[in-house]
């Protein structure tokens, strides 16, 4: 089960409708096709006539047979139409339920993110400033173990953010004038304001700004985020909209205290070294030499 599915599974009304949807879909798949009642009756009449022509006698139950064929087809047609309408209605109800209960699913993601950051923080400390796989391999020991563990947790972080944006995605992306406007939603995704509380690009390393704007997350980014301690999931579309109002007004003012977005420790940068294999660009921005 994906993290997005887990988030919706935390909402009872969504679970109920998903269960009903699965049942209806299964029944529709097994149902197959049906014959139009008039065609079924006509086919029954033709069969009676053929039998009569062969026997030379007209049966007393001719009308009964035709009526039975018609009624049976009516019942099957009605079942097919009922399943079709049920499928459409359940899908619409499920869509509305997800819109109405999005805040609960986002709260689940927020809890998952907090648990993840709790797990990441001590591992990030064990990196000792290493910002590439080559550097982790060179140091070995707990540094390499931490890098491997953080690589696995990075996948969890990506899944949480992907689920977040899927839930926050506006129901009518082409409407204008509110968060429903597609371009505005895109700016919200690139701003970093929906991932790091009070994020101010001017106070953050360039590679962090790039990671947040392109969602190109890395182990060094995950370590930086855990050190900052300000990762969050928006509680609702309204909260995300409020962030964008502040951002678009040109006043990036966090709700809480101001945070220093620079690395927690900034060692003296040694003279430039020949380019090595690995993420040397990230290393320079992080203020650490990977050797």
């Amino acid at each position: 089960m994906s993290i997005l599915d887990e988030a919706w599974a935390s909402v009872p009304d969504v679970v109920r409708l998903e269960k009903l949807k699965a049942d209806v879909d299964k029944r529709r798949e097994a149902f197959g096709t049906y014959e139009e009642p008039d065609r079924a009756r006509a086919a029954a009449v033709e069969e009676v006539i053929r039998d009569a022509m062969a026997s030379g006698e007209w049966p007393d139950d001719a009308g009964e047979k035709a009526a039975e064929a018609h009624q049976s087809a009516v019942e099957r047609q009605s079942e097919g139409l009922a399943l079709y309408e049920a499928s459409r209605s359940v899908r619409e109800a499920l869509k509305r339920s997800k819109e109405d209960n999005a805040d609960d699913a986002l709260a689940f993601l927020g809890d998952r993110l907090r648990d993840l950051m709790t797990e990441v923080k001590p591992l990030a400390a064990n990196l000792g400033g290493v910002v590439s796989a080559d550097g982790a391999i060179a140091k070995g020991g707990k540094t390499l173990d931490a890098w491997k563990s953080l690589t696995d947790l990075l996948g969890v972080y990506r899944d949480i953010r992907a689920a977040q944006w899927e839930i926050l995605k506006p129901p009518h992306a082409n409407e204008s004038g509110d968060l429903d406007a597609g371009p505005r939603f895109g700016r919200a995704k690139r701003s970093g304001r929906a991932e790091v509380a009070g994020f101010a690009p001017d106070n953050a390393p360039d590679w962090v700004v790039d990671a947040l704007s392109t969602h190109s997350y890395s182990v060094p980014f995950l370590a930086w985020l855990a050190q900052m301690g300000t990762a969050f999931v928006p509680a609702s579309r309204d909260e995300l909209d409020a962030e964008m109002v502040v951002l678009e007004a040109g006043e990036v003012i966090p709700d809480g205290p101001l945070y220093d977005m620079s690395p927690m420790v900034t060692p003296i940068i040694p003279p430039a070294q020949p380019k090595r294999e690995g993420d040397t660009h990230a290393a320079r921005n992080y203020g650490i030499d990977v050797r």
Side-chain angles (χ1 to χ4, degrees):
M1 180 181 292
S2 69
I3 288 180
L4 178 61
D5 290 338
E6 290 178 11
W8 288 126
S10 70
V11 182
D13 191 57
V14 170
V15 172
R16 175 180 61 82
L17 290 170
E18 287 281 14
K19 181 180 179 181
L20 178 59
K21 175 180 173 296
D23 184 26
V24 171
D25 287 346
K26 182 179 180 180
R27 290 174 183 274
R28 284 194 72 191
E29 184 178 355
F31 180 79
T33 60
Y34 60 85
E35 187 177 19
E36 291 290 337
D38 289 346
R39 291 176 63 88
R41 179 171 54 192
V45 170
E46 289 178 3
E47 184 178 358
V48 168
I49 292 174
R50 282 196 304 271
D51 291 344
M53 295 288 286
S55 66
E57 296 181 359
W58 185 257
D60 293 335
D61 61 351
E64 182 179 347
K65 288 182 177 179
E68 286 178 353
H70 184 270
Q71 181 59 31
S72 178
V74 167
E75 291 176 0
R76 184 161 176 79
Q77 179 190 53
S78 298
E79 183 179 357
L81 292 174
L83 286 171
Y84 171 79
E85 289 299 326
S87 177
R88 183 183 60 81
S89 298
V90 170
R91 278 171 167 75
E92 291 179 356
L94 182 58
K95 181 180 179 181
R96 288 194 301 271
S97 180
K98 286 184 175 182
E99 292 175 5
D100 294 341
N101 295 287
D103 294 1
D104 292 339
L106 290 169
F108 174 89
L109 293 179
D111 291 340
R112 283 296 301 270
L113 181 62
R114 281 189 290 274
D115 292 343
L116 178 65
M117 290 295 104
T118 298
E119 192 173 355
V120 166
K121 192 167 185 178
L123 294 171
N126 287 339
L127 287 181
V130 168
V131 294
S132 72
D134 288 345
I137 292 171
K139 280 200 170 185
K142 67 178 183 180
T143 299
L144 182 57
D145 291 340
W147 186 277
K148 290 179 179 178
S149 297
L150 288 170
T151 299
D152 292 336
L153 294 177
L154 183 61
V156 178
Y157 182 80
R158 290 190 180 112
D159 290 345
I160 290 174
R161 291 308 183 189
Q164 165 188 320
W165 292 115
E166 182 63 26
I167 295 171
L168 286 170
K169 183 172 62 178
H172 306 294
N174 292 326
E175 291 185 6
S176 60
D178 201 349
L179 185 60
D180 287 346
R184 192 178 197 192
F185 182 69
R187 288 195 297 274
K189 291 182 68 174
R190 295 189 298 271
S191 70
R193 298 277 293 181
E195 297 188 43
V196 183
F199 183 68
D202 292 343
N203 295 330
D206 291 342
W207 60 272
V208 169
V209 177
D210 181 68
L212 288 168
S213 63
T214 63
H215 302 164
S216 301
Y217 308 120
S218 64
V219 168
F221 170 80
L222 193 61
W224 174 89
L225 191 60
Q227 289 177 334
M228 292 303 303
T230 54
F232 81 113
V233 172
S236 65
R237 287 196 184 106
D238 288 342
E239 181 175 312
L240 181 60
D241 194 25
E243 289 287 340
M244 292 308 296
V245 169
V246 172
L247 187 65
E248 291 171 356
E251 300 178 288
V252 184
I253 305 173
D255 295 333
L258 292 172
Y259 295 104
D260 179 8
M261 296 291 172
S262 59
M264 300 298 285
V265 178
T266 307
I268 298 174
I269 302 175
Q273 300 292 322
K275 185 176 181 180
R276 298 172 182 272
E277 184 179 355
D279 191 3
T280 56
H281 174 69
R284 287 195 299 273
N285 282 323
Y286 209 77
I288 298 171
D289 183 38
V290 181
R291 287 186 284 188

